[in-house]
Amino acid sequence: MNQQAAKISAGGRIVLPAQMRASLGIHEGDELLISVVNGEIHITPKALALQNALAIARKHLAGSPDLSDALIADRRAEAANE
């Protein structure tokens, strides 16, 4: 189920086929991100885009100290010096 035909209706609306919505876990009211890449329209569930962004961030932060713990320690040190 790679490709299915769809038509643009009034107001620029497009209906995603039910099988595609089901396979992606997309439900009414879910937010989607739409982009144009090399002349193609890409539609990504917002939740999936967030998961992908977090995975990228985790790769770059792997082995780094926990930033929230560092911030708390810094604030405590400041408070102790006041």
Side-chain angles (χ1 to χ4, degrees), residues 36-78:
V36 177
V37 178
N38 297 323
E40 296 178 347
I41 298 170
H42 291 227
I43 302 173
T44 307
K46 192 173 181 181
L48 177 60
L50 180 58
Q51 286 177 352
N52 292 340
L54 288 172
I56 291 168
R58 283 188 191 105
K59 283 183 193 176
H60 292 287
L61 295 175
S64 299
D66 185 348
L67 297 178
S68 61
D69 288 343
L71 177 62
I72 291 168
D74 188 47
R75 295 291 185 248
R76 287 183 178 151
E78 287 177 7

Side-chain angles (χ1 to χ4, degrees), residues 8-37:
I8 303 290
S9 63
R13 291 183 177 95
I14 185 169
V15 174
L16 299 175
Q19 281 185 309
M20 287 184 172
R21 292 191 315 269
S23 71
L24 293 170
I26 296 173
H27 301 90
E28 184 176 334
D30 288 353
E31 292 187 59
L32 305 172
L33 300 178
I34 302 172
S35 57
V36 177
V37 178

